[in-house]
Amino acid sequence: SKSQMGIASYFKVH
Amino acid sequence: MFEARLAQSAILKKVLEAVKDLLTEATFECSDSGIQVQAMDNAHVSLVSLNLRSDGFDKYRCDRNLSMGMNIGTMTKILRCASSEDTVTLRAVDSPDNIIFIFESQNKEKLAEYEMKLINMDLEHLGIPETMYSCVVKMPSQEFARICRDLSQFGEAITIACSKEGIKFSAAGDYGNANVKLAQTADSDKEEEAVLIDMQEPVKLTFACRYLNSFVKATPLCAQVKLSMSSDVPLVCEYQIGEIGHIRYYLAPKIDD
C-alpha cells in the first residue's frame, strides 16, 4: 500500500 | 488604493471555479507586478499557486503592497453574480477591511457592486525550489480531465508513467484495473491537440485521484495542460490563463509504505 505525503515536506516554509 | 479591472469577468469566474474545491480561504497578495495567491488545501497535500500579471489587466493600480485574506466560497458566490461579458473591477483602499467587486454590463446599463469582508490570515509561504523535471508533458487539458475522471472509477489513485514512447495513466482497484496510454503526436498541426513529451529520464509516480479531479476544474482556462514530473517530488500541473498568467497545482506523490 501507499501513503500520502504532505506538500510542506517538499518545500521550505517561510 | 488598489484597483484592477478585467474587460470580461469570465477569466476570474473560471479561476474561482478552478480553486474553490481546494481552498476555503486564501491570501491575495497584490503588488505593482500583479496578484499572487499561494495556498495549501486543508489537508496540506496540494498547493495552489496563482499568478495574474498586472500587465494582463485592462487597468491596474496598486499604490501599496496589500495582503488580502479572502473567503473563497464567498468570492465564488460573488463572481457567479457577474455575467461572463461583464467588466469586473476589484477595488480596495490601503489597509483595507473589505474589497469591492464591481460588475458593469457591456452596454453600461447595469452596474453592480458587491462588498466582501476580508479575513485575517497567518501568512505561511512555501519556498518552491527551481526544479529541472525528468519529464514534462503537454497534452490537451480536456483529455487529461477525461482520463482522470475515467480512471477514478477504478481506484483512489492514478499512477502516471512517462517514457519516450508516451505517457501511461493507470488505476487499480477491487473491481479491476484500467490504463490509458497516449503516444506523442507525430504531427502537431493543431497545437491544442498535441501531446508533447520532453523526457530526460522515465518516471513513474502515483497520485490521489481526489486532487487530480480538483485540478482539472481549471480545464476551461486553457486548451493545454503541462504536467512536470520527477521521481519523489510533487507533480506540477500547470494551466496558462490567457495572456495574463497561470495557475499551478503542486501535488505530493503517494509513496510505498
Side-chain angles (χ1 to χ4, degrees):
Chain A
S1 72
K2 289 179 181 291
S3 53
Q4 177 64 62
M5 296 298 289
I7 195 78
S9 55
Y10 294 95
F11 302 139
K12 272 186 192 160
V13 180
H14 293 286
Chain B
M1 176 82 177
F2 167 76
E3 193 169 86
R5 188 172 75 202
L6 285 169
Q8 295 205 317
S9 73
I11 286 179
L12 205 53
K13 285 164 83 79
K14 288 176 192 171
V15 166
L16 264 295
E17 294 299 325
V19 301
K20 70 170 175 43
D21 280 8
L22 291 165
L23 308 178
T24 47
E25 297 172 339
T27 301
F28 285 63
E29 291 175 78
C30 306
S31 69
D32 215 27
S33 58
I35 301 174
Q36 284 189 308
V37 177
Q38 193 205 73
M40 287 184 278
D41 70 282
N42 279 342
H44 291 199
V45 169
S46 68
L47 177 79
V48 177
S49 175
L50 169 70
N51 189 6
L52 302 172
R53 289 187 309 272
S54 53
D55 58 20
F57 287 85
D58 298 286
K59 185 182 173 190
Y60 191 91
R61 175 183 167 184
C62 185
D63 299 338
R64 287 176 61 182
N65 290 0
L66 292 179
S67 286
M68 295 189 280
M70 303 204 205
N71 181 296
I72 298 296
T74 308
M75 202 175 167
T76 304
K77 283 180 192 168
I78 291 174
L79 262 303
R80 282 180 182 166
C81 300
S83 296
S84 293
E85 300 78 30
D86 284 357
T87 297
V88 55
T89 305
L90 312 183
R91 187 181 292 159
V93 296
D94 294 341
S95 314
D97 294 319
N98 50 46
I99 181 165
I100 302 167
F101 296 83
I102 303 156
F103 305 135
E104 191 174 22
S105 64
Q106 270 190 323
N107 61 12
K108 300 192 184 302
E109 283 171 3
K110 182 179 173 187
L111 187 73
E113 285 194 18
Y114 297 85
E115 192 173 300
M116 184 177 83
K117 283 180 188 154
L118 296 175
I119 43 181
N120 285 321
M121 290 180 64
D122 291 331
L123 200 55
E124 194 181 58
H125 211 78
L126 294 180
I128 301 164
E130 282 280 319
T131 306
M132 288 293 290
Y133 289 94
S134 302
C135 292
V136 177
V137 179
K138 287 182 186 165
M139 61 180 285
S141 58
Q142 282 186 358
E143 186 69 79
F144 180 57
R146 176 75 196 255
I147 291 169
C148 291
R149 190 192 69 193
D150 291 350
L151 296 194
S152 297
Q153 300 178 105
F154 289 87
E156 290 181 355
I158 293 177
T159 298
I160 305 177
C162 187
S163 68
K164 260 187 211 147
E165 285 71 46
I167 182 166
K168 186 171 97 170
F169 301 86
S170 53
D174 297 340
Y175 309 111
N177 56 67
N179 71 76
V180 179
K181 289 178 208 153
L182 291 181
Q184 183 155 209
T185 44
D187 70 89
S188 47
D189 269 1
K190 290 181 183 169
E191 211 175 304
E192 296 189 346
E193 292 171 14
V195 176
L196 297 172
I197 298 169
D198 181 3
M199 190 206 79
Q200 309 301 320
E201 268 181 75
V203 292
K204 190 177 179 187
L205 289 159
T206 300
F207 301 102
C209 291
R210 229 195 98 190
Y211 294 94
L212 296 174
N213 281 317
S214 294
F215 301 169
V216 301
K217 297 285 165 67
T219 303
L221 283 169
C222 189
Q224 285 258 313
V225 60
K226 183 166 99 175
L227 306 173
S228 303
M229 292 167 284
S230 283
S231 291
D232 304 320
V233 302
L235 161 78
V236 191
C237 180
E238 177 177 337
Y239 297 83
Q240 290 298 316
I241 306 171
E243 299 291 301
I244 184 170
H246 61 252
I247 183 162
R248 288 186 188 136
Y249 301 95
Y250 295 83
L251 177 59
K254 289 171 88 82
I255 58 162
D256 289 324
D257 284 332

